[in-house]
Amino acid sequence: ARRIERTLNDPGCLLKECDELFHLYGGLPDEEADAGSFWAPITSGWSAPSAPPRLSVRQLGVITQILIDKLGCRSEPVLERIGEIYHTAVAGYRGTGMGHIEFRGYVASVLTQIQRELEDRGRLTEDAAGAVEPSAAAGAYDAITGAE
């Protein structure tokens, strides 16, 4: 939760992390995503479209699920709030996709929800054990962001 908080409180870090996520998963044609190459790094043979890349609804859903899974979000109320954020975003960009600037705000909203869950879970762990134990979510966050 503290690592997410640091990312959210450091605009430069948040922008960098969001842009990396966007460019890793964004701008790929849906056909490539459906063919399974979506998970692979962008290959040297693929040329970027001339229009600015945008995330499709499908791509946004995949990124959202990756954040939920890798950061260990499992609270039903939090998942419902993330679902509301997702559906609101999708309603606003259906057909046109989401650009990287809008994506930054979206990720910040999702991370804020996950951070709150992890903080609450940390408080429960702290109360039960008398001290905060390192969580699997912290390791997952490191894996996503490349933090050491």
Side-chain angles (χ1 to χ4, degrees), residues 30-102:
D30 282 335
E31 307 83 60
E32 287 193 33
D34 293 338
S37 64
F38 187 76
W39 299 106
I42 297 174
T43 60
S44 58
W46 184 76
S47 59
S50 57
R54 299 184 74 76
L55 288 175
S56 69
V57 169
R58 183 182 186 288
Q59 292 165 320
L60 186 63
V62 169
I63 292 170
T64 304
Q65 194 60 53
I66 287 170
L67 291 171
I68 289 168
D69 293 344
K70 295 220 180 221
L71 296 175
C73 182
R74 55 185 184 259
S75 164
E76 278 302 315
V78 172
L79 292 171
E80 287 175 17
R81 285 193 300 270
I82 292 172
E84 290 173 16
I85 293 167
Y86 172 78
H87 289 294
T88 300
V90 166
Y93 297 102
R94 186 172 293 280
T96 60
M98 180 181 279
H100 75 278
I101 293 173
E102 298 91 352

